[in-house]
């Protein structure tokens, strides 16, 4: 087991091709920010993009929608084209609009077509609460039973999910499966290609909540054949608080009428004609609803320019190495101090953050806060540490574990 020193961590930073990207972000000196999976930090290009929108608004008013290379009307399309490679889809299969939960609502209202015998929705027992509320509401809206028609697949051991168990429960009564790509409280990365293949083989719709993977894990949603996905752009994509969300709709569903229709789901060249008859776009754009949230789209575009520069392969590799260092340091410094590691150790089974468990995790998290570490506590005993592949250094990882170790010693 490698015994890491601060010098060794610094040497990793010095040799790291992506290290200089950190300079593009605003990081308060002395702060160790390990919560980029809740809210990514502001970058200079994101700030610049917002400023540009404000300048155009100030000088052009309504003409900003149509004027110049960055006309607001074209922003959703630009963002979709840049996100498509991150999700592994054609640009037409991706749309940046609405918000995470609203996109789940939109996708279910468009795709979920229960029949008398095949009507259940399958999720895992630890599903993110907002997804669960949304899914239950769709069962209720269709006159189904929000409890009995929901299949909750348990964890294996109170912590991790098993693809085997999820697939075993994909029976004839299941119409739709909604799963996370990376489980938010454990950092477990599910085998999306395998789950997708199993669902497709059984003619079950399958979609993924990619909130905790987009921007730090590679996806090939289109090639795997997943039906849909949705995510927020304010976590690893650093789009800012409440940034506009994203969705992916497999091309086999193009041409379907959106469940929740709005004028921005119609074909854009007829937008201002305002036809009485809704004519939905022939691709994922049909699931847009309203006037674009320009002020929250701008920082997403700014941040995406950095991500494109880095490349998702390199970001994933760096994220694994940062988390790998946290895990090594856990082994040598924390394991014997009553902390356990929740996140799977295998690269192919972990996402972008490390989850630790300790009975006094909440207190640990606030003690960390006192020494300038922003970590994240999840009820009842989880401490999540998320190094961003864009702006966290290896030395930060070393430092955070050092501070945690010294807090544990004094607990
Ligand atoms: C962050 C997160 C959300 C957030 O939903 P909003 O509608 O953006 O508030 C949803 N699902 C998961 C798994 C998340 O991690």
């Amino acid at each position: 087991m490698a015994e890491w020193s601060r010098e060794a961590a610094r040497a990793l930073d010095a040799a790291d091709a992506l290290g200089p990207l950190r300079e593009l972000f605003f990081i308060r000196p002395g702060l160790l920010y390990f919560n980029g999976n809740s809210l990514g930090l502001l970058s200079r290009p994101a700030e610049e993009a917002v400023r540009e929108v404000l300048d155009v608004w100030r000088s052009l008013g309504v003409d900003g929608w149509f004027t110049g290379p960055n006309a607001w009307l074209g922003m959703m399309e630009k963002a979709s084209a840049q996100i498509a490679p991150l999700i592994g889809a054609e640009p037409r299969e991706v749309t940046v609009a609405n918000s995470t939960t609203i996109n789940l609502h939109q996708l279910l209202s468009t795709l979920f077509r229960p029949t008398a015998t095949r009507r259940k929705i399958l999720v895992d027992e630890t599903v993110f609460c907002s997804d669960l509320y949304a899914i239950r509401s769709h069962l209720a809206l269709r006159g189904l039973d929000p409890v009995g028609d929901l299949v909750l697949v348990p964890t294996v051991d109170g912590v991790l999910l098993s693809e085997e168990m999820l697939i075993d429960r994909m029976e004839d009564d299941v119409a739709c499966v909604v799963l996370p790509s990376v489980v938010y409280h454990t950092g477990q990365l599910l085998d999306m290609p395998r789950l997708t293949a199993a669902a497709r083989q059984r003619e079950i719709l399958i979609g993924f909540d990619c909130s905790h993977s987009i921007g730090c894990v590679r996806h090939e949603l289109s090639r795997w054949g997943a039906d849909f996905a949705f995510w927020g752009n304010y976590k690893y994509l650093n789009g800012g608080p409440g940034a506009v969300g994203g969705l992916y709709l497999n091309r086999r569903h193009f041409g379907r009428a959106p469940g929740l229709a709005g004028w921005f789901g119609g074909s854009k060249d007829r937008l201002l004609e305002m036809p009485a008859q809704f004519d939905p776009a022939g691709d994922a754009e049909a699931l847009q609803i309203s006037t674009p949230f320009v002020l929250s789209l701008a920082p997403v575009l700014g941040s995406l320019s950095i991500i494109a520069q880095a490349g998702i392969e390199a970001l994933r590799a760096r994220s694994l190495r940062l988390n790998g260092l946290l895990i090594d340091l856990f082994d040598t410094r924390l394991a014997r101090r009553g902390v356990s590691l929740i996140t799977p150790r295998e690269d192919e089974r972990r996402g972008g953050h490390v989850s630790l468990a300790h009975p006094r995790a909440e207190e640990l998290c606030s003690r960390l806060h006192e020494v300038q570490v922003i970590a994240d506590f999840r009820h009842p005993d989880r401490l999540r540490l998320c190094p961003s592949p864009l702006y966290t250094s290896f030395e930060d990882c070393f430092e955070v574990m050092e501070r945690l170790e010294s807090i544990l010693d004094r607990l």
Side-chain angles (χ1 to χ4, degrees), residues 99-102 128 130-131 184 209 211-212 234-235:
S99 67
T100 322
T101 308
I102 294 176
F128 192 87
S130 193
D131 294 6
Y184 74 97
D209 181 337
S211 294
H212 278 276
Y234 48 81
K235 296 178 177 176

Side-chain angles (χ1 to χ4, degrees), residues 80-92:
S80 307
Q82 290 197 42
I83 286 184
L86 301 182
I87 212 78
E90 295 168 21
R92 293 186 65 208

Side-chain angles (χ1 to χ4, degrees), residues 329-404:
L329 290 162
F330 160 82
D331 286 333
T332 53
R333 290 163 170 252
L334 304 189
R336 65 195 133 87
R337 289 178 165 83
V339 182
S340 46
L341 176 72
I342 294 289
T343 311
R345 288 171 179 271
E346 307 89 323
D347 282 4
E348 63 284 359
R349 292 185 70 214
R350 59 190 162 93
H353 68 273
V354 166
S355 274
L356 304 172
H358 187 278
R360 293 164 76 180
E362 188 166 19
E363 192 181 341
L364 288 178
C365 194
S366 48
R367 291 281 186 85
L368 281 169
H369 204 274
E370 287 163 13
V371 293
Q372 304 229 52
V373 177
I374 309 290
D376 181 70
F377 164 71
R378 290 289 133 161
H379 200 77
D381 64 352
R382 299 287 154 77
L383 184 70
R384 300 189 306 178
L385 293 173
C386 177
S388 162
L390 287 164
Y391 53 76
T392 306
S393 66
F394 290 96
E395 188 178 358
D396 288 346
C397 292
F398 181 84
E399 187 62 36
V400 79
M401 293 310 242
E402 185 135 294
R403 291 188 197 174
L404 189 51

Side-chain angles (χ1 to χ4, degrees), residues 53 75 86-87 115 151 165 198 230 305 318 338 345 382 397:
V53 168
M75 282 172 78
L86 301 182
I87 212 78
T115 64
V151 178
M165 279 167 68
F230 56 99
S305 70
R318 187 168 193 273
R345 288 171 179 271
R382 299 287 154 77
C397 292

Side-chain angles (χ1 to χ4, degrees), residues 203-356:
E203 295 178 30
I204 299 171
L205 277 176
I206 184 161
F208 293 97
D209 181 337
C210 294
S211 294
H212 278 276
S213 60
I214 187 145
C216 86
V217 171
R218 283 195 41 183
H219 307 76
E220 291 292 341
L221 290 182
S222 199
R223 188 166 61 77
W224 300 333
D227 291 286
F228 64 93
F230 56 99
W231 59 86
N233 291 320
Y234 48 81
K235 296 178 177 176
Y236 292 99
L237 294 190
N238 312 302
V244 60
L247 66 81
Y248 149 85
L249 178 74
N250 187 285
R251 75 189 88 74
R252 80 177 75 94
H253 300 297
F254 285 0
R256 285 222 196 184
L260 307 172
W263 67 328
F264 270 77
S267 85
K268 294 289 185 294
D269 26 313
R270 297 192 62 203
L271 188 72
L272 296 180
E273 285 174 36
M274 303 192 186
Q277 186 62 39
F278 177 55
D279 176 22
D283 52 25
E285 216 175 279
L287 305 196
Q288 295 177 8
I289 300 172
S290 290
T291 303
F293 310 155
V294 172
L295 278 168
S296 87
L297 252 167
V300 175
L301 276 166
S303 170
L304 281 169
S305 70
I306 309 176
I307 289 166
Q309 190 185 326
I312 189 65
E313 301 260 0
L315 288 172
R316 170 64 170 160
R318 187 168 193 273
S319 163
L320 284 170
R321 290 169 64 222
L322 289 163
N323 281 300
L325 176 56
L326 289 177
I327 292 174
D328 281 352
L329 290 162
F330 160 82
D331 286 333
T332 53
R333 290 163 170 252
L334 304 189
R336 65 195 133 87
R337 289 178 165 83
V339 182
S340 46
L341 176 72
I342 294 289
T343 311
R345 288 171 179 271
E346 307 89 323
D347 282 4
E348 63 284 359
R349 292 185 70 214
R350 59 190 162 93
H353 68 273
V354 166
S355 274
L356 304 172

